[in-house]
């Protein structure tokens, strides 16, 4: 039986290279930082030095993009070994990745490719989660992805797949509100219905981010969180309760104060929503 | 179709826009797939540009983009780490820029600097440490001595003044139109000082000796190579001088001698 992951009620940002000095030299008013695991799954050098020093100040979350938990070609044992070594060194709040696949046995796309929502895929994902959690010696969080197409062979809705995945594997959920917003637009489902149908007791973290509008919305993490995503966040906080919230920005990264202002919006929405729920 | 087969087919479509869509896929599916294909190509070209920023500036953006796309088609990434997406890219540059061989040399330097940047941490041996480690060496021990260089240490033969080119190229702005050819071929040596990757040119005899040592050749055999190239007297002087420089520059992690162990 995998260990449980306790709730962590806080607000954080992604630790990106452009802000290293801010975090190393000052006291940035965040409760945690999240890093892209793969950027630190290296043998040594400055990246690990920075992360180790930041870890002395703040809790850290390891968020991966290359586990390929939905791969029908198995997990990469060398990847898991390196991730475990990093986790043992950093002692993160938790380790997360995405419900997607990135690789076959021959190639790696380095992109979060979509899963068909079928019983075959569900069984495979749960087997892979068992393998990953066993290899890491800890339970993990998995994030609902943005997607740009659905498959003709789908047998269930995304939220049914995610709920069953959490139930069968015992994994926790990283709820990306922007991804729900983007996928709801792209596939014509009701974002609020999706939110309500997810197992809220398994949610440990919420991601907020910006996207690029168009006939098909794209999850680009290159602009501020939009109004529709803030509205959905309000609903998510009411449903999930006190969990970690973080803003992801991976491109067009602004000065840190701008991101901190955006994080204050999240704090304010969460406080307002929780006080209403409590009342 | 099994999930494994459908993922293999999906990957083929991401890698190759001419790959036929599966039966039953609509124009809407094709539009979604085009986003994944674009994400793949854009993010990987960007990853190559990030590692090879001076090379990109030197050959100009469009030429670099074409080279990067060519490399991704001929060498689609296999590893989980984006750091490996550029494996073999200097060879691709050598093939594509045949009349400008300094392009591949500059590309090699950028790749080696990136590898050194994230190489394993290790403390270099100083002169006192080296003296201590070899204090009880016999003549046979010296001859059989193996040098372990700091992780990330790399060298390659070059025919152009790549250090000068490196300094002259602005990754975000102007770049010279050509590189100066060296009077004689040399080796370019990359290693890490503390957290910072550094490089310098070394002459051919030192480069060949170091390449042999990096490949596992004993110190005695490397010295024999120097004797063949320089003659005995000059080789003795060169061997002592280069060992002193390597210790001074913090290039050597440890020394050992199979003879001493045996």
């Amino acid at each position: 039986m995998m260990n449980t992951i306790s709730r962590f009620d806080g607000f954080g940002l992604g630790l990106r290279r452009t802000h290293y000095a801010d975090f190393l030299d000052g006291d940035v008013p965040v409760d945690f930082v999240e890093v892209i695991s793969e950027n630190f799954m290296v043998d040594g050098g400055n990246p690990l030095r920075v992360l180790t020093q930041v870890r002395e100040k703040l809790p850290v979350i390891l968020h991966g993009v290359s586990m390929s938990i939905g791969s029908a070609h198995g997990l990469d044992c060398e990847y898991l070994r390196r991730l475990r070594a990093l986790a043992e060194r950093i002692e993160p709040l938790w380790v997360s990745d995405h419900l997607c696949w990135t690789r076959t046995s021959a190639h790696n796309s380095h992109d979060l490719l979509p899963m068909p929502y079928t019983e075959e895929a569900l069984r495979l994902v749960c087997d892979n989660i068992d393998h990953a959690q066993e290899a890491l010696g800890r339970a993990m969080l998995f994030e609902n992805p943005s997607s740009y197409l659905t498959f003709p062979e789908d047998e269930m809705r995304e939220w049914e797949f995610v709920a069953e995945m959490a139930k069968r594997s015992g994994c926790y959920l990283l709820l990306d509100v922007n991804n729900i917003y983007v996928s709801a637009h792209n596939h014509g489902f009701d974002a609020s219905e999706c939110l309500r149908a997810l197992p809220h007791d398994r949610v440990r973290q919420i991601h907020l981010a910006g996207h690029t509008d168009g006939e098909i919305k794209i999850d680009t993490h290159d602009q501020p969180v939009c109004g529709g995503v803030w509205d959905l966040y309000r609903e998510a906080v009411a449903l999930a309760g006190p969990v970690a919230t973080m803003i992801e920005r991976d491109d067009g990264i602004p000065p840190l104060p701008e991101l901190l202002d955006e994080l204050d919006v999240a704090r304010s929405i969460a406080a307002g929503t929780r006080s209403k729920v409590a009342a | 179709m099994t999930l494994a087969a459908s993922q293999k087919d999906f990957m083929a479509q991401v890698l190759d826009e001419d790959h036929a869509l599966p039966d039953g896929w609509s124009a809407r599916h094709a539009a979604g797939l085009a986003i994944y294909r674009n994400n793949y190509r854009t993010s990987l070209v960007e990853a190559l540009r990030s590692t090879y920023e001076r090379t990109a500036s030197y050959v100009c953006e469009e030429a670099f983009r074409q080279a990067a796309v060519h490399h991704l088609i001929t060498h689609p990434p296999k590893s989980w780490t984006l750091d490996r997406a550029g494996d073999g890219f200097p060879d691709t540059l050598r093939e594509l820029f045949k009349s400008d061989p300094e392009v591949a040399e500059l590309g090699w330097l950028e790749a080696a600097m990136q590898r050194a940047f994230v190489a394993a941490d290790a403390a270099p041996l100083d002169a006192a440490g080296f003296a201590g480690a070899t204090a009880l060496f016999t003549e046979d021990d010296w001859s059989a001595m193996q040098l372990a260089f700091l992780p990330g240490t790399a060298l390659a033969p070059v025919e152009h003044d790549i250090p000068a080119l490196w300094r002259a190229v602005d990754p975000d702005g102007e770049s010279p139109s050509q590189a100066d050819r060296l009077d004689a071929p040399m080796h370019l040596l990359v290693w890490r000082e503390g957290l910072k990757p550094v490089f310098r040119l070394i002459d051919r005899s030192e480069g060949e000796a170091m390449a042999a040592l990096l490949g596992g050749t004993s110190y005695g055999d490397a010295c024999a190579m120097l004797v063949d190239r320089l003659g005995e007297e000059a080789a003795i002087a060169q061997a002592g001088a280069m060992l002193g420089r390597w210790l001074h520059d913090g290039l050597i992690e440890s020394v050992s001698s199979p003879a001493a162990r045996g």
Side-chain angles (χ1 to χ4, degrees):
Chain A
M1 185 68 182
M2 258 323 130
N3 60 320
T4 57
I5 296 177
S6 302
R7 286 174 179 265
F8 180 87
D9 183 11
F11 295 82
L13 292 174
L15 177 65
R16 302 295 182 257
R17 194 173 305 162
T18 184
H19 298 143
Y20 279 178
D22 296 289
F23 280 93
L24 289 174
D25 300 341
D27 289 319
V28 179
V30 296
D31 303 307
F32 68 90
V33 293
E34 184 185 88
V35 298
I36 302 298
S37 310
E38 289 80 3
N39 292 346
F40 301 90
M41 289 162 62
V42 292
D43 292 331
N46 196 51
L48 278 175
R49 179 195 69 91
V50 169
L51 183 57
T52 302
Q53 290 185 5
V54 170
R55 176 66 186 90
E56 288 167 8
K57 296 179 169 191
L58 289 166
V60 168
I61 291 169
L62 297 179
H63 183 53
V65 293
S66 293
M67 183 172 279
S68 196
I69 204 69
S71 174
H73 300 84
L75 300 182
D76 183 328
C77 293
E78 167 66 7
Y79 176 90
L80 292 172
R81 188 190 64 73
R82 280 187 174 264
L83 181 56
R84 179 171 183 138
L86 180 65
E88 288 175 349
R89 176 180 179 136
I90 297 302
E91 297 180 346
L93 281 174
W94 51 72
V95 178
S96 63
D97 207 293
H98 300 79
L99 171 57
C100 70
W101 63 286
T102 61
R103 58 184 281 273
T104 61
S105 49
H107 300 302
N108 199 312
S109 71
H110 294 282
D111 193 19
L112 310 178
L113 302 178
M115 296 296 297
Y117 296 127
T118 63
E119 178 59 31
E120 180 195 11
L122 182 57
R123 277 198 304 272
L124 177 126
V125 165
C126 291
D127 285 348
N128 282 348
I129 292 176
D130 286 347
H131 179 187
Q133 293 187 144
E134 193 64 39
L136 298 179
R138 64 179 69 225
M140 289 185 66
L141 272 62
F142 285 93
E143 174 182 336
N144 57 296
S146 288
S147 62
Y148 312 120
L149 58 80
T150 57
F151 292 87
E153 61 266 35
D154 281 353
E155 296 163 0
M156 59 191 99
R157 306 306 302 259
E158 177 181 317
W159 52 91
E160 293 169 328
F161 189 99
V162 171
E164 195 60 23
M165 173 186 83
K167 183 178 163 189
R168 291 190 197 179
S169 71
C171 75
Y172 291 84
L173 300 180
L174 165 46
L175 185 61
D176 190 311
V177 173
N178 178 62
N179 286 351
I180 291 179
Y181 185 85
V182 165
S183 292
H185 169 88
N186 290 345
H187 309 313
F189 64 75
D190 183 324
S192 296
E193 182 189 349
C194 170
L195 258 185
R196 286 193 298 273
L198 290 168
H200 311 121
D201 60 323
R202 304 303 292 178
V203 175
R204 289 293 177 271
Q205 187 181 359
I206 294 175
H207 268 177
L208 296 164
H211 58 262
T212 298
D213 280 322
E215 196 172 328
I216 300 177
K217 291 186 189 292
I218 305 178
D219 179 34
T220 43
H221 296 187
D222 61 351
Q223 45 197 299
V225 178
C226 74
V229 170
W230 285 126
D231 291 342
L232 210 53
Y233 175 60
R234 198 169 281 109
E235 292 180 46
V237 169
L239 293 165
V243 296
T245 292
M246 98 130 210
I247 291 177
E248 283 186 299
R249 186 68 80 87
D250 294 304
D251 213 348
I253 299 176
L256 195 58
E258 275 184 43
L259 290 177
L260 290 169
D261 286 347
E262 206 174 15
L263 198 60
D264 280 341
V265 176
R267 282 194 178 94
S268 165
I269 288 173
T273 304
R274 288 174 196 168
S275 63
K276 271 188 201 163
V277 170
Chain B
M1 189 186 277
T2 64
L3 185 57
S6 70
Q7 287 186 347
K8 204 171 163 189
D9 193 52
F10 195 102
M11 182 68 84
Q13 293 176 59
V14 168
L15 298 179
D16 177 6
E17 60 198 58
D18 294 329
H19 196 85
L21 286 175
D23 290 342
W25 277 38
S26 63
R28 173 62 183 79
H29 286 108
L33 181 63
I35 292 173
Y36 289 107
R37 191 180 292 128
N38 184 61
N39 283 351
Y40 164 76
R41 191 160 288 190
T42 304
S43 66
L44 284 160
V45 168
E46 198 48 49
L48 288 178
R49 192 194 314 280
S50 169
T51 299
Y52 298 90
E53 57 178 4
R54 281 180 169 76
T55 308
S57 179
Y58 183 62
V59 302
C60 300
E61 279 301 313
E62 182 53 25
F64 181 83
R65 194 192 66 78
Q66 287 180 19
V69 168
H70 176 85
H71 183 72
L72 293 172
I73 291 169
T74 54
H75 300 75
K78 294 177 169 55
S79 169
W80 57 266
T81 171
L82 269 176
D83 288 349
R84 299 283 305 275
D87 281 4
F89 191 54
D91 293 332
T92 298
L93 293 171
R94 189 169 296 111
E95 175 194 329
L96 296 181
F97 296 90
K98 281 194 175 76
S99 54
D100 303 299
E102 75 276 16
V103 174
E105 293 178 357
L106 180 61
W108 178 87
L109 175 58
E110 293 201 280
M113 294 285 276
Q114 175 62 29
R115 280 195 297 274
F117 183 64
V118 293
D121 300 324
L125 203 58
D126 61 13
F130 180 80
T134 56
L136 300 177
F137 272 18
T138 63
E139 196 169 321
D140 284 348
D141 293 331
W142 278 102
S143 183
M145 179 171 72
Q146 301 272 332
L147 299 183
F149 291 92
L150 244 56
T153 301
L155 82 168
V158 291
E159 295 186 347
H160 298 83
D161 189 349
I162 299 304
L165 184 58
W166 172 283
R167 288 188 291 273
V169 172
D170 176 355
D172 302 314
E174 293 291 309
S175 290
S177 58
Q178 60 184 34
D180 293 334
R181 199 170 180 88
L182 294 166
D183 294 337
M186 298 184 80
H187 277 74
L188 188 51
L189 169 65
V190 172
W191 75 103
R192 203 172 81 205
E193 277 183 357
L195 295 167
K196 188 180 173 194
V198 293
F199 56 81
R200 68 175 162 81
L201 285 170
I202 58 178
D203 71 31
R204 198 168 175 179
S205 63
E206 182 176 346
E208 287 174 355
M210 185 180 237
L213 289 163
L214 279 165
T217 297
S218 69
Y219 185 69
D221 286 345
C223 288
M225 288 171 56
L226 286 177
V227 170
D228 288 345
R229 175 176 279 280
L230 305 173
E232 189 162 348
E233 194 175 332
I236 291 169
Q238 170 74 319
M242 69 186 193
L243 198 53
R245 275 196 299 276
W246 297 344
L247 286 167
H248 175 268
D249 288 341
L251 277 158
I252 300 174
E253 183 185 0
S254 64
V255 295
S256 61
S257 173
R261 283 199 300 272

